[in-house]
């Protein structure tokens, strides 16, 4: 599970949107998966202050442990993992796009036809990534992510460095939008994407279902 290290978007405090890690991680653990969190710089992950209150559910305590001290993504051997999940939060718009380390890691999952998934701003990590044919990874793929309408409603439309929806469309994604801030997940074989924080749980459940239905090696 890839998470952001960025804690600022201009003057706006940001980071990981907490539920977009915790809810999927909880589902994955309950399904028997081993969960590893990694980030560009490693270390403790900044949490968007708008994504939690002072009263966090106790059940989250153990699940949050991986984001207290993450390894650098560059230290991760992708061959050790069956799937990759890009968590969201506005911080990802700073350190995910056009990232050489992300591209190198993601290329492995593309080439080996492994599970690739994301939620909300997570697919900003797909931007600038090409496949083994030197084509944009998202080209021709059905997917979703945080929409222009949702960005407008957050009031951060003028603060983000670019529109996630527009950029993914520019790279050739078949971008599907659901109702703003309503659960919406798009599954295209081994690519599973969720639109917003409200989609975190369903995205993880769809990933688990895809693993169940995938034919054994």
């Amino acid at each position: 599970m890839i998470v952001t290290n960025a804690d600022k978007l201009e003057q706006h405090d940001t980071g990981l949107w907490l539920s977009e890690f915790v809810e999927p991680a909880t589902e994955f653990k309950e399904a028997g998966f081993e969960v590893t969190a990694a980030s560009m710089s490693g270390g403790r992950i900044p949490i968007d202050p708008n994504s939690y209150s002072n009263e966090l559910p106790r059940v989250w305590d153990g699940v949050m442990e991986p984001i207290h001290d993450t390894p650098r993504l560059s230290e991760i051997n992708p061959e050790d993992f069956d799937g990759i999940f890009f968590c969201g939060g506005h911080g990802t718009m700073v350190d995910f796009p056009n990232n050489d380390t992300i591209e190198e890691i993601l290329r492995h999952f593309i080439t080996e036809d492994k599970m690739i998934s994301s939620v909300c701003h997570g697919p900003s990590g797909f931007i600038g990534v090409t496949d083994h044919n030197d084509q944009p990874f998202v080209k021709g793929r059905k997917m979703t992510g945080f929409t222009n309408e949702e960005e407008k409603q957050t009031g951060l439309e003028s603060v983000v460095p670019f529109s996630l929806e527009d950029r993914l469309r520019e790279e050739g994604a078949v971008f599907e939008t659901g109702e703003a801030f309503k659960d919406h997940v798009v599954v295209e074989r081994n690519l599973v994407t969720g639109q917003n924080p409200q989609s975190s749980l369903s995205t993880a459940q769809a990933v688990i279902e895809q693993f169940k239905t995938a034919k054994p090696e």
Side-chain angles (χ1 to χ4, degrees), residues 2-189:
I2 314 303
V3 289
T4 181
N5 291 116
D7 61 359
K8 288 282 187 184
L9 197 61
E10 293 188 358
Q11 301 304 311
H12 179 77
D13 289 331
T14 186
L16 164 70
W17 196 267
L18 188 56
S19 65
E20 293 173 15
F21 172 80
V22 173
E23 290 182 358
T26 300
E27 287 295 299
F28 294 150
K29 284 191 169 188
E30 288 180 354
F33 296 174
E34 183 180 338
V35 173
T36 297
S39 61
M40 301 317 111
S41 305
R44 192 178 185 90
I45 300 304
I47 308 300
D48 190 309
N50 292 312
S51 69
Y52 67 94
S53 66
N54 291 329
E55 297 296 323
L56 293 176
R58 281 193 170 183
V59 70
W60 286 14
D61 290 347
V63 182
M64 287 175 63
E65 192 171 331
I67 57 175
H68 293 332
D69 186 16
T70 59
R72 292 174 182 265
L73 184 59
S74 58
E75 299 169 350
I76 294 292
N77 181 356
E79 293 182 4
D80 294 337
F81 297 89
D82 296 312
I84 189 169
F85 188 102
F86 289 83
C87 305
H90 278 93
T92 64
M93 298 287 277
V94 177
D95 61 354
F96 277 19
N98 301 300
N99 184 294
D100 291 342
T101 303
I102 286 180
E103 178 168 36
E104 182 179 348
I105 293 284
L106 194 51
R107 276 250 184 110
H108 167 82
F109 288 87
I110 297 168
T111 304
E112 298 298 320
D113 208 26
K114 291 183 177 181
M115 182 67 64
I116 299 170
S117 49
S118 67
V119 68
C120 201
H121 287 91
S124 58
F126 301 157
I127 292 168
V129 174
T130 56
D131 62 19
H132 50 284
N133 294 317
D134 208 30
Q135 292 294 308
F137 163 62
V138 300
K139 186 176 181 181
R141 295 179 185 265
K142 292 180 183 178
M143 62 174 302
T144 191
F146 207 61
T147 66
N148 289 344
E149 176 59 30
E150 287 167 329
E151 204 68 82
K152 186 177 179 181
Q153 289 188 30
T154 64
L156 296 175
E157 189 180 23
S158 62
V159 180
V160 290
F162 57 88
S163 155
L164 179 61
E165 177 183 338
D166 288 352
R167 185 66 62 85
L168 290 168
R169 289 185 187 277
E170 286 167 11
E171 294 203 359
V174 182
F175 193 93
E176 298 184 0
T177 61
E179 191 176 345
F181 298 106
K182 298 290 186 183
D183 188 359
H184 180 62
V185 177
V186 175
V187 178
E188 187 180 70
R189 210 169 56 80

